[in-house]
């Protein structure tokens, strides 16, 4: 039999999976249609809101609509001359709001004291907002949201590490096209999104999450001097320190507190400069200061999902003009309380969706064409309150009870017309668009609002003081607001365009791949004259149990609750199989201790998975760089910190002992031993690296620098060299034909030895513990496989039971969750990508992040699978049936691939059925992305493993 006759099904399955996933993604993760249209000042002439100037000049008491007073000034009259936007990445709401607004005061609260002071002393012109973002909450999508006014699309997450330029209409484009000078400093993502848009730019690399200061120091260097210059109209400063501190250390950490204190000092200096130049005729007489976050973060510093802490961020707005409008209470969302110093501070709420259109209204530029936001009344009032209107003095305007409402209605009229225009054109241009029923409902709301406005304008003509029209104006504001809210709700529920034909085709191909898996398994069984379910070997019950476990896990994905608890459900299924094996162990009176160890290991996995769930929740106390599951104990038991530092080192020592035992008992010499000793050396370097990072030990900076970057790089280099040696021997070496089983075991040990140091060091100090747990779990699964088949299986020609392969797969999934990961983008440990490096290189960091995410759950389990097959054959038997040994290995890999593919197929079916579910983007889509990436990586690793393990067989 030739080697390729065994291996071609793996490559065929990989191809089918790739095509199926590409087709399905094309139907499911479509981006919304980005219309190639841009707003222009002249567009407003098409609006029914436009009224000739003569109407207003004939009624001096009626404030002119901002667009009608001077058509050359575009859609709205500019209310502010300059805007300063200071973005603090990942700024949680409780970083800004006083601690008195929350049930319990936390150490990170009340750090930005200058904002509290301004919000209290200048309540009419300074306000704190809770800004609500739309998930997913990656920085790229949030920057797109706060500049375009559109809702995010899930597929944009894939561009988070290489943002393409925004091609649809946006706030920055409108600023530049209308003669506004924009200066940017900080996060270089702005340069990727808006190339060639800035008058001046000072970008800094943003992806090194271990770097807390480079971007911030660059912003500080250029921000304060820029405040004294008059060569800009909009200034953007994007700080990253809080985001990076959260990713590395968590919210409740000293670096986070230090960053917040630093930001408070910076803001104090900014406010002092602006106030000193805000007098009449001053540079900042009519400047609006905005301090905002793009998204929030969980307590352990993650973001990307849709939890409350991730979508709730902050916005502080302060106008430096002397007068601000006081809006009717029913149009605001203020909530006032006393802070810790007894000062009354009010906070409001705003949708981030409303940010670009509100700023456009304040600056007097066209609204972005694709914006579906509403001009926020409170933020707009901060700047527009002192706007001078034709025929009306500022003071009298502010004293008029209906003055603010008349102007705001005018703005909302243009706002509603712009959104209605976009929705109509989107439906006409898009493949699917919105349904006729939805369009009829929104059109009815819009028509009613416009008809009502036409009657109110007639009332304004007949009423000199306008006081009798206040109730009508309030109703009109409500009418426009209802229309805009209805459009936003419609877009949130039905924005994504699903192509059911392509989704169904992709799902059908996935089903076909399962059939190919089954046929390939049967083909190998037929080649060896052995059935897939051989009753004589006792596999019928085990096959049924395996199918039951896989089916239960697959069906669980139809429930969002079970997806959230996937790790716990998987450990439960694995423990169930262990309990069944315990019954056989008692009956056979052997391997009892090993089965008990396996069940105890399931308890360990269950505990560590529970800790991972706590990290997903917003109440986690496990925030340090130490093994997360011991931190709570550390605060209760004295000296426990020393134990937590010693345990990972002890686990490394045990791993070294296992390798030394393998080398001493092996017949293989030469290169195999060289690889193993290289791994032992890497383990030693890993222990030194952890020791140098220990806060309790103090080393000179030069030594700490070596431990920080040099040692991980040496480990990576040694690992790459070991893999190169194994590849060289595979291509040019020859295996001894009489020792195929021992050669297979030796190959497996050396491959795992070459890969494990990189996986362990990327996983952090928990890495050695997870590695040791994986060794124990694999040993127990192999031992339990012998319970129903006495001895070493000498009575068998080829039977690779499905149960141990299924257990192997389920255990790998448990290791994924036990190592601190979960199927969400905030479950990625971005800091692992920078172990050994400070600068960001896309391919390198992506590879390291992939190894950290899937090292214990895919890479090591797949290359360790031959142990199950080799365990069934003695060396004498394997020498007689060499082809059977490797056909058994191929069958085991086919089974493993099938066990992996069935749940992924169920996930795809689940996504089809739940595509309109409330949690589709927050839960089902991330689960789908993680599963299909894991499936493709599994297929690739299986193909590489079979190439490595299966030799050229004789006919």
């Amino acid at each position: 039999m030739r080697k390729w006759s065994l291996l071609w099904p793996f490559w065929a399955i990989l191809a089918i999976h790739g095509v199926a996933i590409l087709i399905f993604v094309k139907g499911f993760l479509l981006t919304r249609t980005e219309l190639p249209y841009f707003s222009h000042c002249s567009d407003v002439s098409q609006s029914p809101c436009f009224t000739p100037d003569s109407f207003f000049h004939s009624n001096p008491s009626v404030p002119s609509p901002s667009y009608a007073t001077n058509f050359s000034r575009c859609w709205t009259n500019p209310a502010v001359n300059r805007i300063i936007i200071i973005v603090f990445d990942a700024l949680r709401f409780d970083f800004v709001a006083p601690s008195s607004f929350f049930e319990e005061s936390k150490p990170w609260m009340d750090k930005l004291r200058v904002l509290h002071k301004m919000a209290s002393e200048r309540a009419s012109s300074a306000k704190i907002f809770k800004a609500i973002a739309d998930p997913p909450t990656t920085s790229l999508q949030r920057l797109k949201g706060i500049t375009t006014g559109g809702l995010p699309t899930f597929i944009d997450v894939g561009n988070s590490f290489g943002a393409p330029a925004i091609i649809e209409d946006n706030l920055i484009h409108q600023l530049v096209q209308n003669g506004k000078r924009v200066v940017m400093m900080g996060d270089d993502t702005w340069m990727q999104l808006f190339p060639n848009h800035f008058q001046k730019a000072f970008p800094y690399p943003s992806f090194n999450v271990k770097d807390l200061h480079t971007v911030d120091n660059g912003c500080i260097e250029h921000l304060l001097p820029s405040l004294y210059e008059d060569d800009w109209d909009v200034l953007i400063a994007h700080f990253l320190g809080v985001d990076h501190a959260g990713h590395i250390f968590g919210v409740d950490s000293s670096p986070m507190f230090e960053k917040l204190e630093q930001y408070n000092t910076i803001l104090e200096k900014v406010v002092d400069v602006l106030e000193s130049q805000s007098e009449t005729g001053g540079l900042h007489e009519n400047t609006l200061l905005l301090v905002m976050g793009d998204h929030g973060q969980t307590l352990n510093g993650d973001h990307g999902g849709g939890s409350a802490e991730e979508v709730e961020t902050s916005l502080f707005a302060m106008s430096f003009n002397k007068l601000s409008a006081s809006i009717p209470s029913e149009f605001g969302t203020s909530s006032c309380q006393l802070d810790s110093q007894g000062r009354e501070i009010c906070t409001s709420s705003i949708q981030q969706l409303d940010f670009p259109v509100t700023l456009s209204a304040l600056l007097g530029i066209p609204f972005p064409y694709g914006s579906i936001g509403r001009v926020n009344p409170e933020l707009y009032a901060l700047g527009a309150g002192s706007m001078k209107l034709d025929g009306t003095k500022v003071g009298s305007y502010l004293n008029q009870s209906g003055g603010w409402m008349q102007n705001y209605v005018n703005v909302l009229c243009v706002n509603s017309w712009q959104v209605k225009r976009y929705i109509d054109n989107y439906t006409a241009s898009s493949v699917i668009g919105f349904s006729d029923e939805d369009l009829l409902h929104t059109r009815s709301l819009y028509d009613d609002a416009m008809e009502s406005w036409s009657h109110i304008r007639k009332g304004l003509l007949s009423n000199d003081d306008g006081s009798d029209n206040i109730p009508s104006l309030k109703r009109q504001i409500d009418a426009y607001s209802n229309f805009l809210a209805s459009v936003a709700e419609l877009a949130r529920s039905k924005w994504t365009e699903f192509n059911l034909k392509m989704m169904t085709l992709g799902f059908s191909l996935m089903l076909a791949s399962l059939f190919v898996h089954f046929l390939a398994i049967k083909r190998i069984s037929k080649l060896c004259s052995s059935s897939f379910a051989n009753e004589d070997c006792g596999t019928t019950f085990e096959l049924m149990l395996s199918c039951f476990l896989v089916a239960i896990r697959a069906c669980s994905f139809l429930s969002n609750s079970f997806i959230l608890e996937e790790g716990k459900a998987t450990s439960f299924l694995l423990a169930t199989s262990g309990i069944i094996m315990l019954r056989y162990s008692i009956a056979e009176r052997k391997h009892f201790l090993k089965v008990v160890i396996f069940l105890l290991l399931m308890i360990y996995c269950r505990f560590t998975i529970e800790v991972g769930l706590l990290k997903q929740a917003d109440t986690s106390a496990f925030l340090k760089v130490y093994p997360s599951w011991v931190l709570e104990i550390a605060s209760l038991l004295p000296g426990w910190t020393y134990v937590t530092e010693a345990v990972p080192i002890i686990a490394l020592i045990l791993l070294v002992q296992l390798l030394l035992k393998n080398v001493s008992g092996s017949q293989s010499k030469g290169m195999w031993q060289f690889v193993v000793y290289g791994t032992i050396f890497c383990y030693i370097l890993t222990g030194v690296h952890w020791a140098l990072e220990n806060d309790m030990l103090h080393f000179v900076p030069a030594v700490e620098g070596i431990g920080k970057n040099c040692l991980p790089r040496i480990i990576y280099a040694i690992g790459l060299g070991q893999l190169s040696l194994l590849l060289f021997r595979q291509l040019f070496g020859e295996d001894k034909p009489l020792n195929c089983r021992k050669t297979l075991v030796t190959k497996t040990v050396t491959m795992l030895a070459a890969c494990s140091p990189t996986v362990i060091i990327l996983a952090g100090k928990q890495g050695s513990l997870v590695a040791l747990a994986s060794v124990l779990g694999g040993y127990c699964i192999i031992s339990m496989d012998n319970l129903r088949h006495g001895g070493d299986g000498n009575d068998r020609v080829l039977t690779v039971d499905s149960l141990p392969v299924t257990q192997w797969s389920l255990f790998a999934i448990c290791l994924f969750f036990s190592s601190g990961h979960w199927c969400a983008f905030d479950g990625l440990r971005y800091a692992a990508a920078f172990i050994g490096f400070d600068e960001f290189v896309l391919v390198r960091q992506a590879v390291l992040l992939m190894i950290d995410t899937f090292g214990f759950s895919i890479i090591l389990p797949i290359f360790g699978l031959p142990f199950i097959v080799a365990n069934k054959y003695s060396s004498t038997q394997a020498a007689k049936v060499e082809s059977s040994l490797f056909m058994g290995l191929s069958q085991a890999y086919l089974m493993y691939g099938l066990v992996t593919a069935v749940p992924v197929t169920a996930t795809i079916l689940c996504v089809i059925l739940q595509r309109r579910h409330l949690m589709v983007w927050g839960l089902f889509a991330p689960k789908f992305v993680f599963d299909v990436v894991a499936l493709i990586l599994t297929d690739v690793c299986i193909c590489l493993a079979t190439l490595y393990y299966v030799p050229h067989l004789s006919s």
Side-chain angles (χ1 to χ4, degrees), residues 450-481:
M450 295 308 301
E451 182 180 359
S452 173
W453 181 224
S454 65
H455 293 308
I456 292 176
R457 287 190 300 190
K458 294 178 182 178
L460 292 174
L461 281 172
S462 60
N463 188 0
D464 291 338
D465 60 9
S467 59
D468 294 340
N469 292 288
I470 292 179
S472 299
L473 290 172
K474 291 182 178 180
R475 289 194 298 271
Q476 188 61 37
I477 292 175
D478 288 338
Y480 283 135
S481 298

Side-chain angles (χ1 to χ4, degrees), residues 157-364:
V157 173
N159 295 322
S160 293
F161 293 100
I166 296 178
I167 60 174
E168 61 181 322
D169 199 4
N170 58 80
L171 176 63
I172 305 299
H173 172 81
Q174 288 296 336
L175 288 170
V176 175
Q177 291 301 305
N178 289 275
K180 303 294 183 181
R181 300 160 300 173
V182 185
V183 172
M184 189 284 302
M185 56 198 68
D187 187 350
D188 62 353
T189 304
W190 288 88
M191 297 300 297
Q192 301 173 47
L193 295 175
F194 309 103
N196 307 317
H197 281 69
F198 301 111
Q199 181 91 357
K200 290 191 300 184
F202 307 98
Y204 297 89
S206 58
F207 291 123
N208 186 358
V209 294
K210 295 194 296 182
D211 185 353
L212 306 185
H213 306 295
T214 298
V215 178
D216 289 0
N217 291 341
C219 286
I220 297 170
E221 178 185 354
H222 298 287
L223 175 58
L224 294 177
S226 296
L227 298 180
Y228 294 97
E229 300 173 357
D230 61 355
D231 59 349
W232 56 267
D233 300 297
V234 175
L235 187 151
I236 301 171
H238 192 145
F239 293 74
L240 284 175
V242 160
D243 179 66
H244 290 183
H247 281 305
I248 301 299
F249 302 103
V251 172
D252 191 6
S253 63
S254 296
M256 180 66 76
F257 305 157
E258 293 170 0
K259 270 295 162 188
L260 292 174
E261 291 287 357
Q262 181 188 27
Y263 289 174
N264 184 71
T265 302
I266 296 167
L267 291 175
E268 285 179 341
K269 294 178 180 179
V270 170
V271 171
D272 289 342
V273 173
L274 296 180
E275 284 189 325
S276 67
Q277 301 187 53
S278 62
E279 70 281 353
T280 303
L283 187 61
H284 297 293
E285 176 188 6
N286 198 14
T287 295
L288 181 67
L289 171 65
L290 299 175
V291 180
M292 61 184 297
D294 54 346
H295 51 74
Q297 59 177 301
T298 61
L299 289 183
N300 52 304
D302 297 322
H303 61 86
S307 68
E309 290 196 338
E310 292 169 279
V311 300
E312 291 178 359
T313 182
S314 301
L315 170 64
F316 171 82
M318 181 176 180
S319 175
F320 288 87
N321 54 39
K322 303 304 180 183
L323 296 170
S324 296
S326 177
I327 70 172
S329 59
E330 55 263 43
F331 298 125
T333 57
S334 292
S335 173
C336 302
Q337 293 188 32
L338 298 180
D339 68 358
S340 58
Q341 299 183 20
R343 300 172 300 190
E344 184 179 63
I345 297 179
C346 298
T347 63
S348 299
S349 63
I350 183 175
Q351 295 288 329
Q352 273 194 355
L353 196 67
D354 302 338
F355 183 79
V357 69
T358 305
L359 259 62
S360 297
L362 288 171
L363 288 165

Side-chain angles (χ1 to χ4, degrees), residues 319-494:
S319 175
F320 288 87
N321 54 39
K322 303 304 180 183
L323 296 170
S324 296
S326 177
I327 70 172
S329 59
E330 55 263 43
F331 298 125
T333 57
S334 292
S335 173
C336 302
Q337 293 188 32
L338 298 180
D339 68 358
S340 58
Q341 299 183 20
R343 300 172 300 190
E344 184 179 63
I345 297 179
C346 298
T347 63
S348 299
S349 63
I350 183 175
Q351 295 288 329
Q352 273 194 355
L353 196 67
D354 302 338
F355 183 79
V357 69
T358 305
L359 259 62
S360 297
L362 288 171
L363 288 165
I365 60 175
F367 304 164
Y369 192 93
S371 171
I372 57 172
R374 178 191 69 150
V375 176
N376 182 270
E378 294 173 284
L379 181 57
Y380 181 73
L382 283 177
S386 61
M387 187 169 57
K388 295 184 179 181
L389 303 174
D390 289 354
T392 306
K393 295 181 179 180
V394 175
S396 62
Y397 167 61
L398 289 177
N399 291 330
Q400 285 184 337
S401 57
W404 177 87
M405 282 186 287
Q406 291 177 25
N407 187 66
Y408 185 56
V409 168
N410 296 329
V411 174
L412 283 184
C413 182
V414 180
N415 190 181
S416 300
W417 163 77
Q418 167 261 324
V419 171
K420 174 67 164 51
R421 177 185 66 167
Y422 170 67
I423 291 299
D424 289 343
N425 288 337
Y426 181 85
T427 302
S429 304
S430 179
V431 177
I432 299 176
F434 299 105
S435 67
D436 293 338
E437 181 181 355
D438 293 327
L439 289 176
L440 183 63
H441 174 65
T442 57
R443 186 177 296 114
S444 175
L445 291 176
Y446 179 76
D447 291 342
D448 291 345
M450 295 308 301
E451 182 180 359
S452 173
W453 181 224
S454 65
H455 293 308
I456 292 176
R457 287 190 300 190
K458 294 178 182 178
L460 292 174
L461 281 172
S462 60
N463 188 0
D464 291 338
D465 60 9
S467 59
D468 294 340
N469 292 288
I470 292 179
S472 299
L473 290 172
K474 291 182 178 180
R475 289 194 298 271
Q476 188 61 37
I477 292 175
D478 288 338
Y480 283 135
S481 298
N482 289 338
F483 164 73
L484 294 169
S486 175
V487 170
E489 181 181 359
L490 173 64
R492 284 191 175 96
S493 62
K494 299 185 177 181

Side-chain angles (χ1 to χ4, degrees), residues 29-100:
L29 295 182
L30 288 177
T31 58
R32 59 180 172 82
T33 303
E34 296 182 347
L35 302 185
Y37 306 130
F38 295 83
S39 297
H40 303 282
C41 287
S42 58
D43 294 346
V44 77
S45 62
Q46 307 168 15
S47 167
C49 307
F50 179 75
T51 307
D53 292 352
S54 57
F55 167 78
F56 296 94
H57 290 315
S58 64
N59 290 271
S61 62
V62 180
S64 302
S66 51
Y67 51 80
T69 55
N70 188 343
F71 188 77
S72 65
R73 291 190 177 182
C74 215
W75 295 12
T76 60
N77 220 20
V80 297
N81 297 331
R82 312 178 100 193
I83 291 183
I84 300 171
I85 304 174
I86 298 178
V87 181
F88 292 142
D89 208 289
L91 188 70
R92 289 165 53 102
F93 179 60
D94 57 5
F95 286 168
V96 176
S99 58
S100 57

